[in-house]
Amino acid sequence: MIEELINLADALDKLGHDNLADSLDSLIKEAAKKKAKKRTPTNKALWSKALAEAKKKFKVFPCVPVATSYALTEEGWKGFYDLKVGDKIISYNKNKNCLEWDIVKNIHFYKNADTIRLYKAQTCFDFVCTKDHKWVIKNKKRTSDKKYKYEDQLVRAEDINTNMNIITSAKMENSEPISLSDFRKYDWSWTEKVLKMSNEQREAWLASAIVYDGHENNYSQLHKRGSYGFSQRNADHGDAAAICAALLGYNVSFNKNKKDNPNISSFIFINRQTHNSQNILKEDYENCDVWCPETKNGTWLMKQERMITITGNSAYANGYAVQWYKKHGGGWRGPKPMK
């Protein structure tokens, strides 16, 4: 329901109804706060003790903002209020260096957490997360004992220095091709079809989309890197192209507020898999409710604000608290459906 209201607010904004869009945004925020409050443990005293036990080991829960962060499921992007334990989402397999389907083991939530902004000026790399949220890095050097400094390739946002390559994109593990004989222009969801395609089918489909609704920006002979622009009025069709590019290992960034035509979403697809941290900036950001899905791989594919990226998950402090709470007999009272 909240996701539908957000889409409605975006549509009103694109149509120039600023006042209505702002009013609806305020209602969405209030509804989100109320719904978050209803997602509570049945034994508050025991949960407080579980948090205290976790905080003995961890300073901050590693998570990202509820309001702006989404995971990629079999049906498309889903946020905290729509994702469920047992759902399939796309994560990054560090051993295979590829994206693959993974099962959500837990969904962690933490209220009013301290966050930081992690960004590179004049680029699309711009994210908000807690200081302990983990990012995947590309190991380059071994220590004197022949081991990598970061064995699991995961590093806290607070510990990211200026000599790292953050892995933000990877190609999806290939699958068997599907029949496209029933693919129609006015299908309800292009996104779901793109998610089921083989990589060869995605490459052909994306090339067609670029020819039809996009353009080639430039090609770097030095880096052997192509850059493509893509624009689309239909939200699902735009998402399908962006997801297709992300599953093919492209760095995907987007802008939904084009001044010349606010009804069109625009994207940039760049053939690159890492972002160098040389010029990365960090600054304290606002407190907000945060969340993270936990997967076996310890990673997930996230959409936040202007970019799609690979990132780490919350199988740390909050996971420890949840396990301690369950072990000692704690239960949960789930949120009631919004009317």
Side-chain angles (χ1 to χ4, degrees), residues 43-212:
N43 189 330
K44 293 183 178 180
L46 186 62
W47 177 241
S48 294
K49 191 171 181 179
L51 293 176
E53 290 294 323
K55 287 180 180 179
K56 290 178 182 178
K57 294 179 175 289
F58 304 91
K59 294 179 181 179
V60 181
F61 287 12
C63 298
V64 291
V66 165
T68 58
S69 308
Y70 302 87
L72 186 54
T73 74
E74 294 176 298
E75 299 172 349
W77 296 107
K78 286 188 178 181
F80 169 70
Y81 297 109
D82 299 313
L83 197 66
K84 303 185 299 295
V85 172
D87 284 351
K88 285 185 178 180
I89 63 173
I90 290 181
S91 70
Y92 173 68
N93 187 314
K94 300 184 292 295
N95 297 321
K96 296 180 180 179
N97 185 31
C98 71
L99 300 175
E100 65 181 18
W101 289 108
D102 209 340
I103 301 295
V104 177
K105 297 169 61 179
N106 280 301
I107 297 175
H108 305 297
F109 173 78
Y110 189 61
K111 290 186 66 62
N112 198 34
D114 294 334
T115 64
I116 61 171
R117 181 186 174 202
L118 191 70
Y119 67 102
K120 296 179 69 174
Q122 298 180 338
T123 73
C124 60
F125 189 94
D126 193 341
F127 298 99
V128 175
C129 61
T130 58
K131 292 181 180 179
D132 275 8
H133 184 72
K134 299 217 173 183
W135 295 85
V136 187
I137 62 162
K138 185 176 181 180
N139 273 320
K140 294 191 300 182
K141 299 179 180 178
R142 291 180 181 269
T143 57
S144 57
D145 58 357
K146 305 300 181 181
K147 294 182 179 180
Y148 286 115
K149 183 177 180 180
Y150 298 98
E151 285 293 334
D152 62 358
Q153 292 183 256
L154 293 171
V155 60
R156 298 163 65 241
E158 191 174 37
D159 294 334
I160 291 176
N161 58 40
T162 57
N163 190 33
M164 293 179 176
N165 283 311
I166 302 172
I167 299 176
T168 55
S169 309
K171 199 167 186 176
M172 183 71 177
E173 184 176 47
N174 207 4
S175 59
E176 292 296 319
I178 64 171
S179 173
L180 298 177
S181 61
D182 62 342
F183 199 121
R184 298 291 181 269
K185 181 174 182 178
Y186 298 105
D187 280 345
W188 174 255
S189 177
W190 286 12
T191 296
E192 291 183 28
K193 285 187 169 62
V194 164
L195 285 164
K196 295 176 182 177
M197 290 178 182
S198 68
N199 283 336
E200 290 78 10
Q201 288 176 318
R202 291 190 188 105
E203 287 171 355
W205 188 88
L206 184 63
S208 300
I210 295 298
V211 169
Y212 186 70

Side-chain angles (χ1 to χ4, degrees), residues 308-327:
I308 297 173
T309 186
I310 293 167
T311 193
N313 66 30
S314 283
Y316 302 97
N318 210 32
Y320 181 90
V322 170
Q323 290 174 9
W324 191 98
Y325 179 68
K326 290 180 179 178
K327 182 179 179 181

